[in-house]
Amino acid sequence: MSQDLTLSTVVDERPGFHLRRVSGLAMAALGEALVAVDLRVLEATVLFEVAAKPGITLSDLGRVLGIKRANMTPLVAGLMARGYLASKRKDGRSQALSLSKTGEQIYDKARAIVEAYEQRFFAPLSEAEKQVMIRHLRTLWSSNQS
Amino acid sequence: MSQDLTLSTVVDERPGFHLRRVSGLAMAALGEALVAVDLRVLEATVLFEVAAKPGITLSDLGRVLGIKRANMTPLVAGLMARGYLASKRKDGRSQALSLSKTGEQIYDKARAIVEAYEQRFFAPLSEAEKQVMIRHLRTLWSSNQS
DNA sequence: TATTGTTATACTCTATAACTATA
DNA sequence: TATAGTTATAGAGTATAACAATA
C-alpha cells in the first residue's frame, strides 16, 4: 500500500490544477450519465444550444460554445445522421440548424439526465455558491478569450 | 457576419459547461506558456509534485494527481529520457522518483512560468475569490471521486 | 491474491492548414 | 477579401484490458 496520498502544497495552491482535475471528473461523470441516450457531452451541448436558438448556423454555434468550426462539422454531421438535427439552406453557404421531432425527444431526455447529474455532482455546493462559481468562470472566460 | 453571439440561458446556467470551457482555455494558455521550456501541462505538474515529494512512486503520483497508472508510464519515461527525473529502486517493483540536477533547473523555470501565467489568467479575480474557487473545486473533487 | 509498472489500444476533444463555394 | 462549411491530420489527455514481476 501507500501512505501519503495528499497533494503537495505547491500544486494544491494552483487554481488551474483544480480546474483541470474537476473539469475532467465532471465530464467523465456526465459522459457516463449520457450513455443512456447514446450522446457525448459535446453532442448534448449542441442539442441544448440549438434547442434554444433554432436557425443558428454551424459557425455561430462553434463561436458561442467555444468549439472550432472544423470540429463542429463532424459533430453536427453525426447528429444529423441520427436524425436529431435538421438543416435548412439559409443562403448559398450557411445552413440554419434546428431540432427535428426525434431531436426534441432526445433533447428532453438529455436535459433530464444533465439536470440530475448536476444535482448530484454539485450537491456539496449551495445554490449561492454555484452561482458565484458560474459568475467567476464567466469572467475568466470573457477576459481570457482570444 | 453573425449577430447573436451570446450563450443561451439553458447552457449558460450549467456550471459543468463553464467548468469545461474555462478549463480548456486555461490549459491551452498554460500549454502555450510552457513551450518555452518544452514541457506539456501534465509534465510540469509531475515535476511540481515530485519536487515536493521526492521518493514518491509512479503509482502514488498518479493517484494524487488523478492520472491513471497506464498514462503515467509514458509521461515519466519522457521526463526521464530528457534527464529531468531520476528513478531509484525502492523494492522489486516500485521505483522512487526524484528530480535530477537538470530537473531542478527546469522545475525552477517552469514554476516561474506557471506563476506568471496564473497571475495573468486569474487576474480578474481577487485573492479571496481565487481561494473560494479553489476551496469549492477541492470539495467537488473529494466528494465526487470514485 | 493484490500491487507495480508496462504495453497496446481506442475514444474524446482540440488545433492547424488547406481547400471550395459563396458573399 | 472575408466568411461558411469541409477535409485531413496531428496532438493532448483519458480509459480499459491484459500482462510479467514482485509483494
Side-chain angles (χ1 to χ4, degrees):
Chain A
M1 277 300 276
S2 37
Q3 60 274 47
D4 189 6
L5 285 175
T6 57
L7 204 51
S8 75
T9 316
V10 195
V11 174
D12 198 38
E13 279 168 348
R14 311 276 149 222
F17 169 80
H18 291 284
L19 222 39
R20 181 193 68 75
R21 195 171 62 161
V22 172
S23 170
L25 194 58
M27 290 311 99
L30 180 52
E32 269 183 54
L34 284 172
V35 296
V37 284
D38 192 31
L39 285 176
R40 287 172 299 164
V41 173
L42 284 191
E43 291 176 332
T45 313
V46 165
L47 290 187
F48 274 56
E49 198 62 28
V50 171
K53 295 191 179 180
I56 194 171
T57 65
L58 183 150
S59 287
D60 280 352
L61 205 45
R63 268 190 279 270
V64 166
L65 296 176
I67 303 172
K68 292 259 184 298
R69 255 175 23 259
N71 297 322
M72 288 292 327
T73 297
L75 200 53
V76 165
L79 291 170
M80 284 185 49
R82 278 181 282 173
Y84 298 159
L85 281 188
S87 171
K88 226 177 71 180
R89 247 305 160 337
K90 210 176 158 182
D91 62 29
R93 53 185 180 179
S94 318
Q95 42 177 303
L97 299 170
S98 60
L99 293 190
S100 65
K101 278 279 143 60
T102 45
E104 288 184 16
Q105 289 169 7
I106 209 85
Y107 164 70
D108 288 338
K109 288 186 193 171
R111 181 151 179 189
I113 289 174
V114 169
E115 272 161 13
Y117 137 79
E118 273 187 359
Q119 201 65 24
R120 212 173 355 98
F121 193 89
F122 294 93
L125 301 187
S126 70
E127 265 313 309
E129 288 171 331
K130 274 187 242 179
Q131 292 310 317
V132 169
M133 171 165 288
I134 289 180
R135 188 158 50 80
H136 290 167
L137 290 172
R138 275 196 211 109
T139 303
L140 290 176
W141 169 259
S142 44
S143 61
N144 283 290
Q145 207 194 354
S146 51
Chain B
M1 275 299 272
S2 39
Q3 60 276 48
D4 188 6
L5 285 174
T6 57
L7 205 49
S8 75
T9 317
V10 194
V11 174
D12 198 38
E13 280 168 348
R14 311 276 148 222
F17 169 81
H18 291 285
L19 222 40
R20 179 192 68 73
R21 197 173 59 162
V22 172
S23 170
L25 194 59
M27 291 311 99
L30 179 52
E32 268 182 56
L34 284 172
V35 296
V37 283
D38 193 31
L39 285 177
R40 284 172 302 164
V41 174
L42 285 190
E43 290 175 334
T45 313
V46 165
L47 290 187
F48 274 55
E49 197 62 27
V50 171
K53 297 190 177 179
I56 193 171
T57 65
L58 183 150
S59 287
D60 280 353
L61 204 45
R63 269 189 278 272
V64 166
L65 297 177
I67 302 173
K68 293 261 183 295
R69 256 178 19 260
N71 298 322
M72 287 294 323
T73 298
L75 200 52
V76 166
L79 290 171
M80 285 186 48
R82 278 181 281 173
Y84 298 158
L85 281 187
S87 171
K88 226 179 68 180
R89 247 304 163 332
K90 208 175 160 184
D91 62 29
R93 53 184 181 181
S94 318
Q95 40 177 306
L97 299 171
S98 59
L99 292 190
S100 66
K101 280 276 143 59
T102 44
E104 286 183 17
Q105 289 168 5
I106 207 84
Y107 164 71
D108 288 338
K109 289 186 193 169
R111 181 150 178 188
I113 289 174
V114 168
E115 273 162 14
Y117 136 80
E118 272 186 0
Q119 202 65 24
R120 214 170 356 97
F121 193 89
F122 295 93
L125 302 186
S126 71
E127 266 313 310
E129 288 171 331
K130 276 187 238 180
Q131 292 311 316
V132 168
M133 171 166 287
I134 289 180
R135 188 158 51 80
H136 290 166
L137 290 172
R138 276 196 210 108
T139 304
L140 289 176
W141 168 260
S142 45
S143 61
N144 282 291
Q145 207 194 355
S146 50

